[in-house]
Amino acid sequence: MSEEELTFWEKLARIDRRVFYWILFIGLMIPFIHPIVFPIAISPSTRDLYEGIKEMVEPGDVVVMNIAFGVDAWPECMPAFAACTKLLIKEGAKIIFWGAYYDVDMTYQEVLRRCEDYFKNLKYGEDYVYLGYYPYQEAAVAQLAASIRSIFKTDNYGTPLDEIPMMKNVDKATDIKLVLSGDTGDVCDYYIRQWRIPYGTPVAEIGIAMLGSSYMPYYRSGVLFGMSVGVRGGAELEKLIGEPAEATIRMGAINISHILVVIAVILANIGYFASRRK
Amino acid sequence: MAEVLRREVVYLITAIVTVIMFIEFFFVGTWNVAEELRTWATIIANISLGLGAVRLLSEHAKNIQKRRAGVWPFSIWLWIIFLITILSGLAGYVTTHDAMKNPLYNWLFRWPYTSLGQTLYAITGFYIFSAAYRAFRARNIDAALLLIAGCFVILTNAPIGGVIWGGIPVIGRWFLDYGQAPAMRCFLIVAAFGMLAYGFRALLGRERGFYGEVAGE
């Protein structure tokens, strides 16, 4: 059937994909030209993450921030990761950064940049340390729980761990107050299986939106004490710590794109049913 | 004979390691042998990264050598970028113990790599948009239910959903908490049983996929 012979309803059900690409492209520009701000409700999983950190972390406690997302997932994971870093510093925690992603160096540098005001009063080695990359596999995560020194002899810059003040009495999962894992994959599973279950170390997830459904059973059963889901989770955390930033701005784009998807689905179904009736 | 012996040794090692890891899980942190094995596993994983890089370079060297049509110019490009990245990173590490302090290495990661990575990731949004239009049709009652639940969850994740109607996030959250979480829990439990079965088969030498064999052959 040629394009001219199609009825209006049939055309509605067969819109060219390039039209959608242009609509989305133009739609996504609107919030950056004129910000669209709606109130953001806090989801229970994000609230539990925030309150869990506030309740559990005492000044001087050592916390692990696991970087298991690459630079491509910065827009989704980084706002929540940065907000949690700020919250941990406010609570007086000492932070160990390490990562299972080959570009972890970049992400660590970006965390430092985004939390610059917080880190300027901290001393490397006393308040935070960066141990670098470990291979992306469960055996390494299990061994980190048993002995950090068996995986990392030195920090990322070659200083032996025994010479780093905050690492003096820290070597096992039992020395760590909690783990926050920023993920695009399944690394948080490893921490659940190798840290949370055998040692009881509290674990929380900072993941891309897609992981929300994967980790929901763990959160609902209390295995994860909290969970931040995608850029929305980041915006909620920014609201909770009282510092609206990148994720809050990005919610404008989320609003536009999500409403466009729903409109497209409705149009497709109107066209589908109308052309079937005919 | 040698091949059979070689296979049997692999199965034997697999069985011993499986038993050690299985027992250690119940006596966590008390068995040095298990810890030692995990350290070996980590070292082997690190070596495999290097091995992977060597293999990648050798495959692309073959492409260049044979002038494989449509491929060899990209292979040359891969070699050039690989060498620049690894040499600049090593230079940074040798001089300052921090590869990121080398300006060239830092630039490669910060600008081309980060921008391209984020662009590729963002492009999927356009495909999802067009795919949702073409695939989300209420062709039957199951598809209609999926469609309705999907729309509520989409609008729950965007603050605009709550602005349109206060009930949208409530219903969307209900789908998330009581619809998908139990279903996902079923998948996880079934997968866990599957892993147990896989473990026992590996222990008994019946699971041979990791050795490049199909069980039963």
Side-chain angles (χ1 to χ4, degrees):
Chain A
M1 196 183 286
S2 71
E3 192 68 23
E4 290 77 32
E5 292 168 12
L6 293 175
T7 65
F8 171 77
W9 301 112
E10 284 165 337
K11 282 181 184 168
L12 198 62
R14 294 180 193 187
I15 300 171
D16 191 282
R17 72 184 70 184
R18 284 164 296 188
V19 175
F20 287 106
Y21 296 163
W22 276 108
I23 290 171
L24 188 60
F25 182 71
I26 294 164
L28 288 178
M29 282 199 287
I30 296 168
F32 290 99
I33 296 165
H34 179 79
I36 303 165
V37 182
F38 292 120
I40 300 164
I42 310 293
S43 58
S45 60
T46 313
R47 186 172 293 283
D48 285 346
L49 171 59
Y50 172 80
E51 285 175 358
I53 291 172
K54 286 199 74 115
E55 280 166 22
M56 279 188 271
V57 176
E58 303 284 336
D61 283 342
V62 179
V63 170
V64 165
M65 295 209 72
N66 175 54
I67 301 168
F69 59 96
V71 298
D72 45 0
W74 281 3
E76 270 208 274
C77 291
M78 188 57 90
F81 204 80
C84 285
T85 306
K86 288 174 184 174
L87 181 59
L88 286 169
I89 294 171
K90 274 183 189 173
E91 295 299 310
K94 294 178 185 296
I95 307 173
I96 299 172
F97 292 95
W98 63 43
Y101 231 82
Y102 47 86
D103 54 13
V104 58
D105 283 359
M106 286 293 300
T107 306
Y108 168 68
Q109 298 286 345
E110 186 66 14
V111 174
L112 293 189
R113 194 186 67 75
R114 291 191 190 209
C115 308
E116 202 176 4
D117 290 345
Y118 287 78
F119 278 104
K120 72 181 177 193
N121 298 321
L122 303 183
K123 199 167 176 197
Y124 181 84
E126 287 182 12
D127 301 305
Y128 67 101
V129 68
Y130 174 52
L131 302 189
Y133 170 78
Y134 62 88
Y136 183 109
Q137 49 138 333
E138 192 159 356
V141 174
Q143 192 51 25
L144 280 168
S147 170
I148 294 170
R149 279 166 178 75
S150 64
I151 302 291
F152 295 109
K153 302 278 181 219
T154 66
D155 72 352
N156 192 55
Y157 312 111
T159 310
L161 291 198
D162 289 330
E163 291 175 20
I164 296 172
M166 69 167 271
M167 293 302 292
K168 284 244 161 80
N169 298 315
V170 176
D171 194 42
K172 293 177 188 304
T174 45
D175 303 326
I176 303 294
K177 192 70 183 184
L178 54 91
V179 177
L180 300 182
S181 184
D183 280 316
T184 50
D186 53 1
V187 178
C188 191
D189 283 347
Y190 306 164
Y191 283 90
I192 290 169
R193 286 196 289 259
Q194 306 298 342
W195 285 61
R196 175 71 180 89
I197 305 300
Y199 296 93
T201 311
V203 176
E205 160 78 353
I206 300 168
I208 55 172
M210 198 178 72
L211 291 179
S213 54
S214 307
Y215 286 110
M216 186 59 83
Y218 292 113
Y219 162 68
R220 298 271 300 161
S221 60
V223 173
L224 293 175
F225 74 85
M227 188 170 76
S228 165
V229 180
V231 71
R232 167 78 189 246
E236 291 172 9
L237 281 164
E238 285 174 359
K239 186 178 176 183
L240 284 167
I241 65 166
E243 291 185 35
E246 190 188 337
T248 310
I249 298 165
R250 222 169 259 157
M251 288 317 287
I254 295 282
N255 282 324
I256 295 279
S257 58
H258 284 46
I259 202 79
L260 282 176
V261 168
V262 173
I263 291 170
V265 169
I266 292 169
L267 286 180
N269 280 281
I270 291 171
Y272 174 69
F273 280 109
S275 53
R276 252 183 49 169
R277 190 170 293 171
K278 176 179 162 277
Chain B
M1 182 66 191
E3 176 60 24
V4 172
L5 199 62
R6 202 189 307 162
R7 271 187 304 184
E8 296 310 321
V9 168
V10 171
Y11 300 147
L12 189 65
I13 291 170
T14 307
I16 292 168
V17 171
T18 309
V19 170
I20 290 171
M21 288 302 154
F22 189 77
I23 295 171
E24 198 259 354
F25 191 80
F26 297 99
F27 303 96
V28 66
T30 56
W31 205 5
N32 283 343
V33 179
E35 290 189 13
E36 205 61 41
L37 281 174
R38 279 198 300 265
T39 309
W40 288 5
T42 311
I43 292 166
I44 292 166
N46 276 312
I47 292 169
S48 72
L49 286 175
L51 205 62
V54 172
R55 174 92 178 142
L56 179 78
L57 288 177
S58 89
E59 283 299 311
H60 284 273
K62 279 182 206 161
N63 289 342
I64 299 164
Q65 203 177 13
K66 291 177 182 169
R67 294 280 194 277
R68 203 162 279 159
V71 177
W72 72 273
F74 297 106
S75 296
I76 292 179
W77 184 239
L78 181 133
W79 260 85
I80 293 168
I81 294 296
F82 193 99
L83 290 177
I84 291 172
T85 309
I86 203 159
L87 291 176
S88 58
L90 280 173
Y93 192 78
V94 168
T95 51
T96 63
H97 272 294
D98 185 2
M100 295 306 291
K101 286 203 172 136
N102 181 283
L104 180 58
Y105 185 81
N106 196 314
W107 182 87
L108 279 169
F109 266 98
R110 181 159 292 279
W111 301 113
Y113 176 74
T114 305
S115 315
L116 288 171
Q118 292 182 2
T119 305
L120 280 173
Y121 194 74
I123 280 173
T124 55
F126 288 83
Y127 291 122
I128 290 168
F129 184 32
S130 134
Y133 167 77
R134 282 178 284 122
F136 272 19
R137 306 270 164 109
R139 292 190 170 90
N140 51 47
I141 191 74
D142 297 342
L145 286 173
L146 182 72
L147 189 83
I148 293 165
C151 286
F152 273 107
V153 172
I154 286 172
L155 289 174
T156 299
N157 285 334
I160 198 170
V163 175
I164 294 168
W165 177 47
I168 287 177
V170 178
I171 298 169
R173 186 116 336 255
W174 186 87
F175 278 123
L176 284 169
D177 290 348
Y178 299 100
Q180 72 91 25
M184 195 53 108
R185 196 170 288 154
C186 287
F187 283 128
L188 289 172
I189 292 168
V190 169
F193 280 121
M195 282 299 289
L196 268 177
Y198 181 89
F200 275 114
R201 282 175 65 81
L203 187 66
L204 299 171
R206 295 180 69 87
E207 187 55 57
R208 297 170 178 191
F210 64 93
Y211 192 64
E213 274 186 48
V214 177
E217 276 185 3

